[in-house]
Amino acid sequence: MKSVGDIVVDGAHQRVYVSDPTGGTIVVTDYSGTVKATLTSLSGVTGLALSADSGQVYAAVKDGNRIVSVETSTYTRTASHPVGVTPGDLEVVDGRIWFAHGTDFGSLDISGPEPVVHLAQRGDIGFSGAFGMFLASDPAVPGVLVAGNGGDLAVYDVSADGAALRVKGAMDTAVKQLDLTPDGKQVLTSWGDPGYGYGLGSYSTADLTEQSGYPIDAYPNAVRVAPDGSVAGGSSSWYDPDVHIHRPGDPVPVREYDFPNTGNSSGADTLVDGALAWAPDSSRVFAVSVNTHGTYTLRALTDPTKELPALKVSAPATSERAKKLTVTGKLTSRTPLPSGTGLKVTRTDVESPKGKELAAVRTKADGSFSFTDTPPAGGKVTYKVSYAGDATHAPASGSDTVDVSRKATVLSLNNNGKLYSYGKKVTFTAHLGTTYKNRTVSIYADPFGSDKPKKLLKTAKVNSKGNLSATVTMTRDTTVSAVFTGDARYASKTVKSTGYAQAKVSTSVSKHYKTGKIGSTTYHYFRKNTDPVFTTTMNYYEGREQRFQLQVYYQGAWHDSTPEYFALGTNGKSAVRLEAPGESGIRARMRSSYINGSSGDTVNSTTHGAWKYFTFTK
């Protein structure tokens, strides 16, 4: 949706209708917010109203100067009634559709063979406001319509064909919504001075004198009254509750709802002006919020007329297994609950992961309670206490956790610190000592390097000797873990063993014309003007380099030149060409190595390739 104009609830079909003037649509959802239909081509649609039998929803379509009827069972448009002006706010009173237009209001009667429209029904009285009119009525109060504009407020008798003024008075100019109480005695406004600062205004329908209203945090922007007289007030509040529920005449809210923050500012989502509506059975209040991205959210606020009790539970931080402990707590609410209120108690532990119900506990006169329990299992033990709620109190629950001691577990894993040749298949064996019931161990392998994740190798029960084995092919340094999750009497434990794997290094020689022995060593023979080429193959890893080491033999010993590093291609190969010396009799040797850290990574252990010997002749 691009905007929100109005919201109305059809209790007979459990549907919520929200109009979007900018998008020209009406979105229909069920009570859970699932979209059931989207009605389009309604440019400027704003006010919505429901017929007394819940059979039709009426929509004010501003850009077409008409009121559209929508059948509520099929969402089919059944009629479109031109009214000759731009309609806004809608109310249905005794079968007639009343609509605001400009600073006035009119009526549409569709009960006869032809629709009948009456405009300019405010009479000879003037309204000081320069902008739109707000209307209000209540199905329990036949023949009464309330109208407000700017700082003026009026009550009309609409039981006859026209609108007869009963009384006119003043209200605050910041009002964004009106409503009539079901006893017909009060008009509530979304802004007023209840004597405490910001709040909902309240005016007697007899003479429109201001009465005690309902204090609300800044800034009030919506008001709706339920069939049972409960009042829902809304406020545009980034940092305070957004919807406030009051029992009739009670200035202290029975329930408040605070919207979450789904945008990108420090403040939370806010209520759209006037976007509140009650379900006819008072089981829910529907509200539309908006975030800083301009995203609209329909929120179904449940149990609005019920107080929300607080249930606190306190258990010891630690305890011994099979030893009695005491859990205490307190159930409090704005209206105190009677002594002896029953509470459900559930214990959750490793032996009862879905929870085991314990004996119920009852509150004392001040709402406090306590009970004892002897935890049969060690580990994390959670005690949850629940209150089921009643006609005026919502359900509540609380919990606390005890760390119950368990015996230490003996668990070991072999091969820690050992070095293996590349590709060696190595068996890692975990040994589990004495436990209570759980004899299952999991073995994981975590190869070095960010490109390979930790992998579960095996989960199984240990054998009669307490052993479980898994095989790892050592192509990288690898951390192997054995995990025992614990049981009711023995604690969980994890042990690790790191095995180290050499790199795979080999070097081939080319451009030589023969091989032969000097002493017992095989040499590659090159002509003095031929460049030798040495191609090294190594297991590849991104960014890996081989270290090329060259030594020359003279005066009876091997002498190093400065080693150099050469990058491997993605095929794991690196070819190095040496410049021919141009003279004969030179003897030399080279080798390629992977050096942990210096070769660009640390996933293998340092590995040296074999020396390659070569000499130059004429």
Side-chain angles (χ1 to χ4, degrees):
M1 300 185 71
K2 299 177 181 178
S3 64
V4 172
D6 200 3
I7 177 173
V8 70
V9 181
D10 170 14
H13 302 94
Q14 294 199 346
R15 294 291 183 263
V16 182
Y17 291 74
V18 184
S19 64
D20 175 3
T22 303
T25 63
I26 298 174
V27 175
V28 187
T29 79
D30 61 17
Y31 273 14
S32 67
T34 302
V35 174
K36 294 298 182 180
T38 301
L39 313 180
T40 60
S41 302
L42 299 168
S43 181
V45 61
T46 52
L48 300 174
L50 185 69
S51 65
D53 62 0
S54 297
Q56 300 284 328
V57 165
Y58 304 114
V61 182
K62 285 187 173 183
D63 293 353
N65 291 348
R66 56 198 171 111
I67 293 176
V68 171
S69 297
V70 177
E71 202 273 325
T72 54
S73 294
T74 62
Y75 318 120
T76 303
R77 297 181 212 184
T78 56
S80 179
H81 306 287
V83 293
V85 293
T86 301
D89 210 7
L90 295 186
E91 291 289 333
V92 176
V93 182
D94 300 343
R96 277 182 291 174
I97 306 165
W98 292 85
F99 56 92
H101 62 88
T103 59
D104 211 326
F105 62 90
S107 66
L108 169 65
D109 188 350
I110 57 175
S111 61
E114 295 293 334
V116 177
V117 176
H118 292 293
L119 301 177
Q121 293 293 291
R122 75 180 191 186
D124 294 334
I125 65 169
F127 282 86
S128 59
F131 300 101
M133 183 81 72
F134 297 107
L135 303 179
S137 67
D138 192 283
V141 189
V144 175
L145 179 70
V146 179
N149 169 257
D152 297 307
L153 184 63
V155 179
Y156 291 86
D157 184 338
V158 294
S159 57
D161 285 343
L165 178 67
R166 284 187 178 180
V167 62
K168 181 176 182 291
M171 66 178 183
D172 197 287
T173 58
V175 168
K176 301 181 185 297
Q177 196 169 44
L178 308 174
D179 211 353
L180 180 64
T181 58
D183 61 6
K185 295 181 179 181
Q186 290 179 309
V187 177
L188 300 185
T189 65
S190 62
W191 189 288
D193 181 5
Y196 317 93
Y198 296 110
L200 304 179
S202 176
Y203 301 85
S204 167
T205 54
D207 55 12
L208 291 183
T209 55
E210 190 166 8
Q211 301 178 331
S212 296
Y214 300 89
I216 285 178
D217 292 332
Y219 297 93
N221 66 345
V223 60
R224 279 292 180 244
V225 185
D228 66 358
S230 298
V231 177
S235 56
S236 181
S237 307
W238 274 10
Y239 304 104
D240 293 298
D242 303 272
V243 178
H244 320 260
I245 310 299
H246 293 261
R247 290 173 178 149
D250 190 344
V252 180
V254 66
R255 188 81 181 264
E256 290 185 299
Y257 300 87
D258 196 10
F259 296 153
N261 185 357
T262 65
N264 60 356
S265 71
S266 61
D269 298 7
T270 57
L271 180 72
V272 176
D273 290 349
L276 280 182
W278 284 88
D281 62 359
S282 303
S283 63
R284 294 167 176 80
V285 169
F286 294 94
V288 180
S289 65
V290 64
N291 66 13
T292 51
H293 299 299
T295 301
Y296 295 92
T297 302
L298 177 66
R299 303 188 181 278
L301 311 177
T302 57
D303 290 331
T305 62
K306 294 183 177 182
E307 293 180 20
L308 189 60
L311 204 163
K312 294 184 178 180
V313 178
S314 180
T318 60
S319 182
E320 295 181 25
R321 192 192 68 80
K323 183 178 180 181
K324 184 181 291 187
L325 56 82
T326 300
V327 178
T328 62
K330 194 169 188 178
L331 175 66
T332 58
S333 189
R334 178 171 167 263
T335 304
L337 290 153
S339 176
T341 297
L343 305 175
K344 178 182 176 181
V345 179
T346 304
R347 181 187 65 220
T348 303
D349 54 33
V350 295
E351 289 200 323
S352 303
K354 294 183 179 179
K356 177 180 176 60
E357 187 170 346
L358 306 181
V361 64
R362 295 192 175 276
T363 61
K364 299 177 182 178
D366 63 353
S368 63
F369 61 87
S370 67
F371 62 90
T372 60
D373 184 52
T374 302
K380 180 182 178 181
V381 178
T382 300
Y383 292 95
K384 180 179 179 181
V385 182
S386 303
Y387 165 62
D390 59 21
T392 57
H393 296 83
S397 64
S399 63
D400 200 8
T401 299
V402 184
D403 187 5
V404 177
S405 63
R406 291 181 287 182
K407 294 181 181 179
T409 302
V410 174
L411 181 65
S412 62
L413 187 63
N414 66 344
N415 296 331
N416 185 48
K418 293 183 179 180
L419 178 65
Y420 300 98
S421 59
Y422 180 87
K424 174 77 173 177
K425 294 185 181 296
V426 178
T427 299
F428 287 81
T429 299
H431 177 76
L432 179 66
T434 301
T435 61
Y436 176 49
K437 289 183 178 180
N438 184 14
R439 299 297 292 165
T440 298
V441 171
S442 297
I443 299 178
Y444 297 84
D446 189 4
F448 282 33
S450 59
D451 60 328
K452 290 186 179 295
K454 184 177 180 180
K455 181 180 179 181
L456 174 64
L457 301 179
K458 185 182 288 186
T459 296
K461 289 184 177 181
V462 297
N463 62 20
S464 59
K465 295 182 180 180
N467 296 331
L468 180 70
S469 298
T471 300
V472 178
T473 301
M474 300 297 295
T475 59
R476 296 185 182 186
D477 297 347
T478 302
T479 297
V480 179
S481 304
V483 179
F484 172 67
T485 58
D487 59 24
R489 298 184 184 181
Y490 284 82
S492 61
K493 189 169 184 178
T494 298
V495 294
K496 295 182 178 181
S497 175
T498 300
Y500 297 94
Q502 293 181 321
K504 183 179 182 181
V505 182
S506 64
T507 302
S508 63
V509 184
S510 58
K511 303 298 183 180
H512 58 288
Y513 68 91
K514 73 170 187 176
T515 59
K517 288 187 179 291
I518 300 177
S520 60
T521 303
T522 299
Y523 277 75
H524 295 77
Y525 283 75
F526 291 88
R527 302 297 182 188
K528 65 180 182 180
N529 292 319
T530 300
D531 296 345
V533 176
F534 302 93
T535 301
T536 297
T537 302
M538 194 179 295
N539 55 307
Y540 177 74
Y541 187 81
E542 185 177 2
R544 177 168 289 189
E545 298 177 334
Q546 60 118 334
R547 189 185 75 163
F548 188 91
Q549 183 180 6
L550 179 66
Q551 292 183 347
V552 178
Y553 187 81
Y554 66 95
Q555 295 181 352
W558 292 100
H559 298 271
D560 261 316
S561 63
T562 302
E564 294 186 58
Y565 285 83
F566 297 92
L568 295 177
T570 55
N571 60 355
K573 294 183 179 298
S574 171
V576 177
R577 180 180 61 84
L578 293 182
E579 187 176 352
E583 60 180 278
S584 60
I586 295 176
R587 292 164 58 186
R589 66 180 181 179
M590 61 74 59
R591 69 176 177 181
S592 294
S593 303
Y594 165 82
I595 308 298
N596 183 281
S598 299
S599 286
D601 63 78
T602 57
V603 303
N604 283 102
S605 295
T606 294
T607 308
H608 299 288
W611 287 105
K612 298 294 182 181
Y613 292 81
F614 56 99
T615 186
F616 294 90
T617 62
K618 292 182 180 179

